[in-house]
Amino acid sequence: MTEQINNEEANAPQFAVQRIYIKDVSFETPMGVEAFRQQWQPKVGQELGTAANKVDEDLYEVILKITINVQLGDKTAFLVEVQQAGLF
């Protein structure tokens, strides 16, 4: 029984982290200093997303993307987007 379990574990798919890196970073303040001259009652929204790309036969790039949008009324005060990726 133990031998069968060891054989199954040896044949199971495996992965290893090759690299982790920042793929893209963006920070915008479309209102500029005007955002700080108003009453500060922001609405914060966030979005998370993932993507995967086959780079080579045994190599995949996985991307985690987060977007944070801060609104003051109907105007955008801040917009931050970050994509962190890893090769597996």
Side-chain angles (χ1 to χ4, degrees), residues 9-45:
E9 289 177 1
N11 295 330
Q14 297 180 7
F15 77 94
V17 177
Q18 302 297 315
R19 300 280 187 270
I20 294 178
Y21 53 96
I22 300 295
K23 188 171 178 97
D24 188 26
V25 175
S26 173
F27 179 80
E28 300 174 26
T29 56
M31 291 180 66
V33 73
E34 188 60 35
F36 302 108
R37 299 183 64 182
Q38 299 182 16
Q39 185 176 0
W40 188 252
Q41 294 181 340
K43 296 178 202 164
V44 179

